[in-house]
């Protein structure tokens, strides 16, 4: 029982929700669909019916053995979805790479991070997550839950919370609400960023102390003298007294640029 909990095994028991999740990415016979955590196959059948090729990544060997005979056309791999290299996936001719999954909540964030990093390879994703995490990823500037996860995800992806799913849709029911994120990779970053690692450092430092002013948060997080942080912000046209949660992605890019 505790192993099942550790693996986040809450199986979807509503076929209408499974269809609605797959509908978000609308697989066709030309597409490769990668399913994360197929479990007992609630989404797998729907994907197999619609996508040209399905690759399913499951970490539980017992479930892998049960899935293989049920879905002979699906390539079921015993694999850890946190460390799978989604960036190496190649789209079939004329098709797309899609990622779909009802993610294990215990490791939802590292799996999400690995998928987000593959914006050059993955065209679209539909991922069920803990609702609070999904809302943070999709949050706009000014929102209470807007943070580094929102900025870093939205640099390369169009993100929206597409469905909200109650605990009763799963067996056993989780203790938290769930939501499905629909992610679409942008053809180019939302704003031009010369050095993405520097951009990420700035964003993380700004939100690490979100109650502080930007000048204080950046000085502390980046090890800068207060005056240098204030001058950089002023040069980027950003009031040093603002809080990180009010900055747009464009403004973060401007600040990072001037820190070079
Ligand atoms: N897709 C199924 C459904 O909707 O009913 C199962 C979803 S269940 C929330 C999460 C699934 O992910 C489980 O089958 C679990 O064994 C699997 N899992 C947990 N950690 C994993 C990991 N690191 N890599 C791949 N699969 C994992």
């Amino acid at each position: 029982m505790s192993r099942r909990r550790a693996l986040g095994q809450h199986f979807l028991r509503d076929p209408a929700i499974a269809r609605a999740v797959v509908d978000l990415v609308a697989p066709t016979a030309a597409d490769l669909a990668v399913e994360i955590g197929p479990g007992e196959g609630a989404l797998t059948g729907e994907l197999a019916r619609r996508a040209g090729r399905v690759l399913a990544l499951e970490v539980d060997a017992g479930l892998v053995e049960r899935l293989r005979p049920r879905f002979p056309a699906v390539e079921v791999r015993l694999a850890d979805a946190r460390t799978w290299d989604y960036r190496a996936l190649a789209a079939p001719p004329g098709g797309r790479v899609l990622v779909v999954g009802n993610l294990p909540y215990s490791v939802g964030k590292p799996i999400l991070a690995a998928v987000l990093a593959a914006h050059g390879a993955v065209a679209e994703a539909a991922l069920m997550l803990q609702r609070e995490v999904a809302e943070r990823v999709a949050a706009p500037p000014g929102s209470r839950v807007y943070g580094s996860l929102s900025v870093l995800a939205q640099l390369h992806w169009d993100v929206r919370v597409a469905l909200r799913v109650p605990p009763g849709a799963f067996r056993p029911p989780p203790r938290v609400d769930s939501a499905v994120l629909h992610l679409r990779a942008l053809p180019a970053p939302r704003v031009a960023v010369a050095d993405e690692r520097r951009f990420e450092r700035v964003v993380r430092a700004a939100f690490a102390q979100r109650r502080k002013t930007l000048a204080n948060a950046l000085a502390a997080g980046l090890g800068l003298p207060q005056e240098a942080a204030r001058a950089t912000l002023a040069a980027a046209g950003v009031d040093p007294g603002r809080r990180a949660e009010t900055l747009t992605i464009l403004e973060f890019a401007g600040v990072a640029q001037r820190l070079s």
Side-chain angles (χ1 to χ4, degrees):
M1 194 52 205
S2 62
R3 176 171 158 75
R4 298 192 68 175
R5 246 202 306 272
L7 291 178
Q9 293 181 344
H10 299 280
F11 300 116
L12 196 54
R13 59 185 185 89
D14 183 338
I17 296 178
R19 263 196 310 279
V21 172
V22 175
D23 279 348
L24 291 173
V25 295
T28 72
D31 297 328
L32 161 62
V34 178
E35 185 183 359
I36 297 176
E40 293 181 339
L43 297 165
T44 319
E46 193 63 24
L47 288 170
R49 202 170 59 74
R50 297 167 67 173
R53 182 180 163 212
V54 181
L55 181 62
L57 313 175
E58 173 57 63
V59 85
D60 182 327
L63 289 175
V64 168
E65 288 315 308
R66 289 209 288 280
L67 285 162
R68 282 185 174 146
R70 274 185 63 208
F71 301 105
V74 172
E75 299 161 50
V76 183
R77 303 275 173 84
L78 179 61
D80 187 331
R82 287 172 295 185
T83 51
W84 187 266
D85 186 4
Y86 304 90
R87 288 170 306 186
L89 293 164
R96 304 166 297 164
V97 175
L98 308 170
V99 177
V100 176
N102 169 14
L103 301 190
Y105 299 149
S106 47
V107 290
K109 281 211 265 178
I111 294 176
L112 174 67
V115 174
L116 290 175
H119 51 82
V122 175
E124 279 189 54
L127 302 175
M128 178 103 66
L129 287 151
Q130 194 174 326
R131 176 171 165 180
E132 179 228 317
V133 175
E135 287 178 346
R136 279 169 46 200
V137 180
S143 140
R144 192 178 49 80
V145 294
Y146 180 64
S148 53
L149 192 56
S150 333
V151 176
L152 299 173
Q154 292 171 30
L155 179 63
H156 290 288
W157 298 85
D158 259 332
V159 185
R160 73 184 176 104
V161 176
L163 303 166
R164 292 190 166 81
V165 185
F170 305 91
R171 196 193 62 248
R175 288 207 197 94
V176 293
D177 284 338
S178 305
V180 183
L181 267 187
H182 183 198
L183 300 138
R184 275 212 271 243
L186 297 169
R190 195 173 297 280
V191 303
V193 169
D195 180 341
E196 278 203 27
R197 292 180 52 189
R198 190 198 311 146
F199 176 79
E200 185 172 338
R201 275 204 309 278
V202 168
V203 172
R204 290 197 189 283
F207 283 106
Q209 294 171 304
R210 53 189 299 145
R211 282 154 178 258
K212 288 194 173 175
T213 63
L214 262 178
N216 286 342
L218 289 186
L222 300 173
L224 291 174
Q226 274 278 342
E227 238 356 272
R230 291 186 153 275
T232 302
L233 288 163
V238 174
D239 179 343
R242 283 170 64 186
R243 304 281 191 281
E245 68 209 44
T246 69
L247 262 68
T248 62
I249 300 180
L250 186 61
E251 287 176 314
F252 275 117
V255 174
Q257 171 95 25
R258 277 160 189 85
L259 270 173
S260 53

